């Protein structure tokens, strides 16, 4: 005898939109494939690529471009007494820029973007589509048919297939990967605090170089004022001033490159010997521990590399590669070489070499451009922080916060008010607390190298599962990356007590918050999954559900994409009435960057028609934002009505090959309605009716052998549509489950601390679900229940 859970599962896989049989045999496979590939590949003309490369300068390379402000100061914070050390440091900078930003990120890691989105969580989403490593199992087979759900296939006996099975069989490995991703995410958040602090403080330090009588406190105050202004304007977005970023950063690169050429001409090109890797060996051999510790400062020459990947946005990889190879890389090499040439002849100026080597006539214009470039660089890291937190929200790894789109044109431009003010307070605290670039630089370097290590480890899985690389290539990439990054990591470990503790403390707090929230989210989902109501119980209540059915529509929100949630049984056993129409709504996020509007909704019927119970699954990507309630309701009812029309049409037609009651087969096809009411088929898909806007061109069905039983089916359709319309006019009520999670009495003390104190505190201060879903207060009904873990 089947258990209630099994009965529920069996009934829940029948009668849905994605299980309706093919009635119109129109070959649309090629069209569907074309649409899917449209999201994967775009061809750009040479002129357009150059234009996009120019625009990417302001978004992607701001942070990396401002590193010359503070690298030599952090490399030699106590001065330098030998010109050979300067040449050795320059050699390390040259090869660090070549190996990490150029070879690793620009030409390899950027290719691992998720449809134009970068960062550790984007890599995690990419891996989730190629292996079942997501801890919350809320995906359905229909999700894989999305046009944005790109994935590769591999042979059963391949190394990729073996790796996939190994990952899926071990829960500990899944949890380890998640923690690794969360560590990388927390370090990116740390970048959002430390990068503005060091960039703006370094730029403002130019005041003291030209005016030595100015007190250091004034420089810190100027930096704090700039930071307050920067964070205060975040709510307006960058759409209006974003067009200024690219020319500012381009001018900055041309300036530092030109100043580098000037210093090489003025002081000679003897420092160009640093292009020989022999000087790297000599620097580390002769300097012993001091040279090893100075690697923490040299590491800052590649800061911004991790933001380069996180801020990739929707720029094609080729445009970002062009910008780096033609502008960023040569200008940075010239800038550092010019500073080294100046420093060799002025060893006592190591702490402010950037401003010292500027020609006197253009000093203040360069100071202004440096400050503007620092602001642009800070903006890039703040935007990256907002982006990763939005992705963490979609994965259930961050408390609910309000997310605001600041641009109608660009999906990725968002603003998170709560996080913005937290970043501002922490950034000002770091700037005013440390007061000097050296300690902030040590902190920044720690955060950067940890993000790079996480990216390297995730790239191993990407190369195996997604790219199907030969194991020799995987070992070569991993070995070279780990040698460079572990070397830098060992150097920053010695500076933990000199500021390096700051990102670890910040990341530690955010990691606890994110992991606790995700842990309880998983436990709550498991509770919902195992306590859902069986269809046998629902059917036993009869069409009235044992209650009075009052006019109106009840929208019951649940985390389950299948089955009737426990909250519904709690509702009908404690209240005397239920709405005449009930719609279970599951808002779920998928490991894709976006779900097209026309593919967002899946609709099905639960139980017999006279029960008037439906389910709607609203699918979102990690870049999507839940729209206003009116818009969401409108789309929902459009899809619901379209489902009823198609279902009635399917019941009223027959052909010689299929019957509506036949079980689902591998060869069956489903329907997507066009905006003129026609239906087209997509081979081997499980889509439900998406919306009145189709993802395929509207065409009349051909080669159809259909007999319509029009009178009964049309009358049934009209009656039910009229019933739904009348119920909608009577009123719509949003029913939310207010689940309180508590630790059971026999739980260990640390579990009680996590659930009863940390999670309870986070739940109290975070946004309510009704705010996230934009539900009006007057039509909201909360149903409470307590769940013990």
């Amino acid at each position: 005898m089947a258990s209630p859970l099994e009965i529920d599962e069996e009934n829940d896989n029948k009668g849905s939109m994605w299980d309706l049989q093919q009635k119109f045999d129109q070959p649309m496979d090629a069209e569907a494939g074309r649409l899917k590939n449209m999201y994967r590949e775009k061809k750009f003309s040479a002129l357009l690529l150059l234009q996009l490369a120019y625009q990417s300068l302001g978004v992607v390379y701001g942070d990396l471009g401002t590193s010359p402000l503070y690298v030599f100061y952090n490399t030699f914070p106590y001065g330098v007494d030998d010109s050979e050390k300067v040449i050795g440091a320059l050699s390390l900078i040259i090869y660090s820029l070549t190996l990490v930003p150029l070879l690793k990120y620009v030409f390899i890691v950027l290719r691992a973007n998720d449809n134009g989105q970068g960062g550790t969580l984007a890599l995690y989403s990419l891996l989730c589509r190629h292996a079942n490593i997501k801890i919350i199992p809320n995906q359905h087979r229909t999700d894989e048919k999305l046009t944005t759900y790109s994935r590769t296939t591999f042979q059963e006996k391949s190394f990729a297939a073996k790796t996939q099975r190994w990952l899926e069989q071990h829960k500990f490995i899944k949890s380890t990967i998640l923690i690794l991703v969360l560590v990388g995410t927390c370090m990116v958040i740390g970048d959002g605090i430390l990068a503005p602090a060091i960039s703006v403080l370094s730029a403002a330090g130019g005041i003291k170089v030209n005016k030595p009588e100015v007190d250091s406190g004034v420089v810190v105050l100027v930096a704090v004022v700039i930071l307050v202004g920067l964070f205060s304007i975040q709510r307006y977005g960058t759409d209006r001033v974003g067009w200024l970023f690219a020319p500012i950063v381009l001018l900055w690169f041309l300036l530092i490159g030109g100043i580098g050429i000037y210093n090489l001409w003025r002081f000679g090109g003897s420092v160009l010997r640093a292009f020989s890797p022999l000087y790297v060996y000599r620097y580390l051999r002769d300097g012993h521990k001091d040279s090893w510790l100075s690697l923490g400062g040299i590491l800052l020459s590649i800061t911004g590399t991790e933001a380069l990947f996180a801020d990739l946005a929707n720029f094609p990889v080729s445009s970002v590669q062009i910008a780096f190879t033609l502008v960023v890389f040569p200008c940075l090499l010239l800038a550092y070489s010019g500073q080294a040439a100046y420093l060799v002849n002025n060893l006592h100026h190591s702490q402010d070499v950037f401003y010292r080597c500027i020609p006197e006539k253009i000093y203040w214009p360069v100071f202004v451009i440096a400050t503007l470039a620092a602001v642009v660089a800070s903006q890039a890291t703040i935007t990256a922080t907002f982006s990763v937190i939005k992705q963490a929200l979609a994965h259930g790894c961050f408390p609910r916060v309000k997310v605001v789109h600041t641009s109608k044109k660009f999906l990725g431009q968002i603003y998170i008010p709560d996080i913005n003010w937290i970043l501002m307070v922490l950034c000002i605290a770091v700037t005013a607390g440390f007061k000097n670039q050296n300690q902030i630089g040590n902190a920044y370097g720690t955060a950067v190298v940890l993000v790079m290590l996480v990216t390297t480890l995730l790239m191993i899985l990407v190369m195996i599962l997604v790219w199907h690389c030969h194991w020799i290539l995987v070992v070569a990439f991993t070995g070279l990356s780990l040698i460079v990054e572990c070397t830098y990591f060992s150097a920053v470990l010695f500076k933990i007590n000199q500021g390096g503790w700051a990102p670890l403390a910040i990341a530690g707090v955010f990691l606890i918050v994110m992991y606790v929230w995700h842990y309880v989210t998983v436990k709550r989902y498991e509770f919902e999954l195992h306590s859902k109501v069986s269809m046998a119980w629902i059917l036993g209540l009869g069409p009235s559900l044992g209650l009075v059915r009052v006019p109106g529509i009840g929208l019951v929100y649940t985390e389950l994409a299948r089955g009737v949630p426990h909250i519904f049984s709690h509702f009908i056993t404690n209240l005397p009435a239920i709405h005449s129409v009930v719609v279970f709504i599951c808002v779920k996020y998928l490991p894709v960057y976006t779900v097209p509007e026309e593919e967002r909704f899946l609709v099905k019927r639960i139980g017999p028609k006279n029960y008037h119970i439906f389910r709607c699954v609203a699918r979102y990507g990690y870049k999507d934002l839940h729209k206003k309630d009116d818009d969401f309701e409108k789309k929902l009812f459009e899809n619901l009505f379209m489902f009823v029309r198609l279902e009635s049409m399917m019941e009223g037609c027959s052909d010689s090959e299929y019957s509506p009651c036949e079980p689902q087969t591998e060869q069956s096809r489903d329907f997507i309605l066009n905006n003129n009411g026609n239906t087209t088929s997509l081979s081997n898909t499980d889509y439900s009716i998406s919306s009145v806007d189709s993802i395929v061109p509207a065409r009349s069905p051909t080669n159809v052998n259909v007999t319509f039983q029009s009178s009964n089916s049309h009358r049934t359709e009209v009656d039910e549509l009229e019933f739904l319309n009348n119920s909608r006019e009577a009123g719509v009520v949003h029913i939310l489950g207010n689940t309180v999670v508590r630790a059971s009495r026999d739980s260990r003390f640390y579990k009680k601390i996590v659930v009863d104190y940390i999670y309870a505190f986070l739940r109290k201060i975070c946004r309510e679900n009704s705010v996230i879903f934009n539900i009006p207060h007057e039509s909201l009904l909360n149903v409470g229940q307590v769940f013990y873990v």
Side-chain angles (χ1 to χ4, degrees), residues 60 502 648 741:
V60 178
S648 178
V741 182

Side-chain angles (χ1 to χ4, degrees), residues 49-50 52-58 60-67 93-108 110 249-250 253 301-309 312 315-334 336:
L49 270 180
L50 290 176
L52 292 172
Y54 163 73
Q55 293 175 355
S56 71
L57 287 173
V60 178
Y61 292 113
D63 192 14
L64 184 63
T66 54
S67 296
I93 291 172
I94 291 171
Y95 284 100
S96 295
L97 285 170
T98 303
L99 291 174
V100 180
L102 181 63
L103 295 182
K104 178 186 174 182
Y105 275 86
V106 172
F107 287 108
I108 298 177
L110 289 189
V249 176
L250 178 61
F253 277 118
S301 64
I302 55 176
T303 56
T305 305
E306 74 295 334
L308 179 155
F309 184 42
L312 183 60
F315 290 106
V317 173
S318 52
S319 68
V320 178
Q321 292 172 337
I322 290 172
F324 188 84
T325 53
L326 295 184
V327 178
V328 179
F329 188 61
C331 287
L332 286 177
L333 292 182
L334 288 171
Y336 288 119

Side-chain angles (χ1 to χ4, degrees), residues 103 122 145 314 709:
L103 295 182
K145 305 300 181 180
N314 288 310
Q709 302 168 356

Side-chain angles (χ1 to χ4, degrees), residues 285-356:
R285 182 197 63 186
D286 299 338
H288 304 291
K289 185 178 178 180
D290 291 338
S291 295
W292 194 266
L293 292 178
S294 69
L295 292 176
I298 294 171
L299 170 64
L300 298 181
S301 64
I302 55 176
T303 56
T305 305
E306 74 295 334
L308 179 155
F309 184 42
D311 287 332
L312 183 60
N314 288 310
F315 290 106
V317 173
S318 52
S319 68
V320 178
Q321 292 172 337
I322 290 172
F324 188 84
T325 53
L326 295 184
V327 178
V328 179
F329 188 61
C331 287
L332 286 177
L333 292 182
L334 288 171
Y336 288 119
S337 298
Q339 289 185 31
Y342 176 88
L343 194 55
V344 164
N345 293 273
N346 300 273
L347 294 175
H348 57 289
H349 285 166
S350 63
Q351 295 193 355
D352 44 25
V353 60
F354 175 81
Y355 281 111
R356 293 284 186 180

Side-chain angles (χ1 to χ4, degrees), residues 424-548:
M424 186 187 77
V425 171
L426 292 176
C427 189
I428 292 174
V430 167
T431 305
F434 287 141
K435 296 182 180 179
N436 68 77
Q437 302 171 28
N438 187 30
Q439 289 184 321
I440 300 177
N442 294 337
Y444 193 20
T446 304
V448 167
V449 74
L450 284 173
V451 176
M452 291 179 179
L453 284 169
V454 169
T455 302
T456 298
L457 296 176
L458 292 177
M459 279 299 299
I460 297 172
L461 295 177
V462 170
M463 294 179 76
I464 295 172
L465 295 176
V466 184
W467 294 350
H468 309 158
C469 293
H470 194 277
W471 66 269
I472 295 179
L473 293 176
V474 178
V475 171
F477 170 82
T478 306
L480 187 59
S481 298
L482 290 180
I483 288 173
V484 174
E485 290 158 9
C486 289
T487 301
Y488 280 123
F489 183 62
S490 65
V492 299
L493 284 178
F494 288 99
K495 298 189 176 183
I496 295 296
N497 62 339
Q498 301 174 30
W501 58 267
L504 299 179
I506 294 169
V509 172
F510 276 99
L511 181 61
I512 291 173
V513 168
M514 295 172 76
Y515 188 78
V516 167
W517 188 267
H518 185 265
Y519 169 78
V520 179
T521 299
V522 171
K523 292 297 181 183
R524 193 174 65 236
Y525 181 84
E526 291 175 350
F527 168 76
E528 294 281 353
L529 187 64
H530 293 294
S531 62
K532 61 183 180 181
V533 181
S534 69
M535 281 305 302
W537 185 77
I538 296 291
L539 294 173
L541 295 176
S544 66
L545 299 178
L547 303 170
V548 177

Side-chain angles (χ1 to χ4, degrees), residues 200-201 203-205 207 214-229 367 371 431:
V200 173
L201 185 60
I207 300 174
V214 175
D215 187 70
S216 298
V218 176
V219 175
V220 174
L221 181 61
V222 170
V224 168
V225 170
I226 294 173
L227 290 171
V228 170
F367 170 79
T371 305
T431 305

